Amino acid sequence: MSSQHITVSLKDHSYDIHVSDGLLDRAGVIISPLLNRPRTVIITDENVARHQLPRLEKSLQKANIAFDTIVLPAGEATKSFAQMEALLDQLLRLRLERRDKIIAFGGGVIGDLVGFCASIYQRGIGFIQIPTTLLSQVDSSVGGKTGINSPRGKNLIGSFHQPDLVLTDVSTLDSLPKRQLLSGYAEVVKYGLINDPEFFHWLEINGPEIIAGNHNVQTDAILSCCRAKAAVVAEDEKEHGARALLNLGHTFGHALEAEVGYSDHLFHGEAVAIGMVMAFDLSVKMGLCPAEDANQVRDHLEKISLPTRISRSDHPISQVDMTADRLLDHTRHDKKIADGRVTFVLASGLGRAFLSPDVDPEDVKHIFQLALD
Ligand code: GLY
């Protein structure tokens, strides 16, 4: 089966994203020409190792690529200084050379940690992303943001380090728990809301098929998201401007994630779903966006079963005690703060997102209160 590919065009480092059903079984032959010698290290987590690793290993063997495999614990806690140090030490023990490349095989946690280690191992080696969650396939595996968490916050330590290749096999989504798939779907919707209303309307019709596991529809959606992301990254690799639009819903979402201590009470994509509704509600409150557009966003996310407010009683988030004041305080620690001002991503309608540093904190607090009531 042929795969479709998109090129991320950068001045110093262009690379391809291949997307198709069953790609994992051909990974070895696609990776082989990129390697300086037929040797690599796969870094993955326990869940991916259980469900998908044999396919990747078999495909590397078929292409005569020697490899070691490092399996890390699954979960956000793996993006830590301790795991980074241990991983770098293992790569040194395996005598990985500067011109070798390593493989990040997993979701966002593995991609971010492995990418960061690749960026500093012997001053930087190449790496290949093989994302296995919807969230990493449509967003985090593309664009070169890498990093780990600090006890002071998420992704506060990191680097920009572009992968040499991204291989996305939609069949890896089959073993993903539904809540994880839904969480990734929030990032899919994000691309429609930023600048592609037609894609949003397509999702209103086809979104349920993505969640039901239709590989053709999943492939189309992932290609659309990767095309959009590749264009943004090509224009603004290091996030000096337009790339910040990809943070739609994230300032609100990160405040919620911080308040639940980055626990399973709220997955990242769920926080983004609630955050995107808040960004539209804030835009309506500021007189910038028609209320119907905000309602359309909320309706679609609710129909697909994503949370849109903190008080949703059938979701673990409702068990966490929060206040609007504490949530507002978290927004003041956002990475995107400049001169003490937080830049919010607002919208003047569906598919019309823009950046605004001129948001009254009282309005933000009001929106948090709305989501809590
Ligand atoms: N996830 C947002 C970005 O890559 O810029």
Side-chain angles (χ1 to χ4, degrees), residues 139-140 142-145 187 190-191 229 233 239 243-244 246-247 250:
D139 196 58
S140 63
V142 177
K145 278 191 182 174
E187 298 275 3
K190 182 185 80 175
Y191 288 99
K229 181 139 189 191
V233 171
E239 197 168 309
R243 185 165 179 171
L246 296 176
N247 300 320
H250 283 60

Coordinates of all heavy atoms in Angstrom, one line a residue, residues 139-140 142-145 187 190-191 229 233 239 243-244 246-247 250, ligand 1:
D139 N 0.2 16.5 15.7 CA 0.8 17.8 16.3 C 2.2 17.6 16.8 O 3.1 18.1 16.1 CB -0.1 18.3 17.4 CG 0.2 19.7 17.8 OD1 0.1 20.6 16.9 OD2 0.6 20.0 18.9
S140 N 2.4 16.9 17.9 CA 3.7 17.0 18.5 C 4.9 16.3 17.8 O 6.0 16.7 18.0 CB 3.6 16.4 20.0 OG 3.3 15.0 20.0
V142 N 5.6 16.7 14.7 CA 6.0 17.6 13.6 C 6.3 18.9 14.2 O 5.7 19.5 15.0 CB 4.8 17.7 12.6 CG1 5.1 18.7 11.5 CG2 4.3 16.4 12.1
G143 N 7.5 19.5 13.7 CA 7.8 20.8 14.1 C 8.9 21.0 15.0 O 9.4 22.2 15.2
G144 N 9.4 19.9 15.6 CA 10.7 20.0 16.3 C 10.7 20.6 17.7 O 11.7 20.9 18.3
K145 N 9.5 20.7 18.3 CA 9.5 21.1 19.7 C 9.8 19.9 20.6 O 9.1 18.9 20.4 CB 8.1 21.7 20.1 CG 7.9 23.1 19.8 CD 6.7 23.7 20.4 CE 6.5 25.1 20.0 NZ 5.2 25.7 20.5
E187 N -7.0 18.2 19.3 CA -5.9 18.9 18.5 C -6.3 18.9 17.0 O -5.9 19.8 16.3 CB -4.5 18.3 18.7 CG -4.0 18.3 20.1 CD -3.3 19.6 20.5 OE1 -3.2 20.6 19.7 OE2 -2.8 19.7 21.7
K190 N -8.6 21.8 16.5 CA -7.8 23.0 16.6 C -7.4 23.6 15.2 O -7.6 24.8 15.0 CB -6.6 22.7 17.5 CG -5.7 23.9 17.7 CD -4.4 23.6 18.4 CE -3.4 23.0 17.5 NZ -2.1 22.7 18.2
Y191 N -7.0 22.7 14.3 CA -6.6 23.1 13.0 C -7.7 23.8 12.2 O -7.5 24.7 11.5 CB -5.9 22.0 12.2 CG -4.6 21.6 12.8 CD1 -4.4 20.5 13.6 CD2 -3.4 22.4 12.5 CE1 -3.2 20.2 14.2 CE2 -2.2 22.1 13.0 CZ -2.1 21.0 13.8 OH -0.8 20.7 14.4
K229 N 0.2 22.1 9.7 CA 1.3 22.4 10.7 C 2.6 22.6 9.9 O 3.4 23.5 10.3 CB 1.4 21.2 11.6 CG 2.6 21.4 12.6 CD 2.3 21.0 14.0 CE 3.4 21.5 14.9 NZ 3.4 20.9 16.2
V233 N 5.0 25.8 10.4 CA 6.4 25.6 10.9 C 7.4 26.2 9.9 O 8.4 26.8 10.2 CB 6.6 24.1 11.2 CG1 8.1 23.9 11.5 CG2 5.8 23.7 12.4
E239 N 8.7 29.9 16.5 CA 7.6 30.6 17.2 C 7.9 32.1 17.5 O 7.8 32.5 18.7 CB 7.2 29.8 18.4 CG 5.8 30.2 18.9 CD 5.2 29.3 19.9 OE1 5.2 28.0 19.7 OE2 4.7 29.8 20.9
R243 N 3.3 30.8 14.5 CA 3.3 29.5 15.1 C 2.5 29.5 16.5 O 1.9 28.5 16.9 CB 4.7 28.9 15.3 CG 4.7 27.5 15.9 CD 6.0 26.8 15.7 NE 5.9 25.4 16.2 CZ 6.8 24.5 16.1 NH1 7.9 24.7 15.5 NH2 6.6 23.3 16.7
A244 N 2.5 30.7 17.1 CA 1.8 30.8 18.4 C 0.3 30.5 18.3 O -0.4 30.2 19.2 CB 2.1 32.1 19.0
L246 N -0.9 28.0 17.0 CA -1.1 26.6 17.3 C -1.4 26.4 18.8 O -1.7 25.3 19.3 CB 0.1 25.8 16.9 CG 0.4 25.7 15.4 CD1 1.7 24.9 15.2 CD2 -0.7 25.1 14.6
N247 N -1.3 27.5 19.6 CA -1.5 27.3 21.0 C -3.0 27.7 21.4 O -3.3 27.9 22.5 CB -0.6 28.3 21.8 CG 0.8 27.9 21.6 OD1 1.2 26.7 21.5 ND2 1.7 28.9 21.4
H250 N -4.6 26.6 24.6 CA -3.5 26.0 25.4 C -3.2 26.9 26.7 O -2.9 26.3 27.7 CB -2.2 25.8 24.6 CG -2.3 24.6 23.7 ND1 -3.2 24.5 22.7 CD2 -1.5 23.5 23.7 CE1 -3.0 23.3 22.1 NE2 -2.0 22.7 22.7
Ligands
GLY1 N1 2.2 22.1 19.6 C1 2.3 23.4 19.1 C2 3.6 23.6 18.3 O1 4.2 22.7 17.9 O2 3.9 24.7 18.0

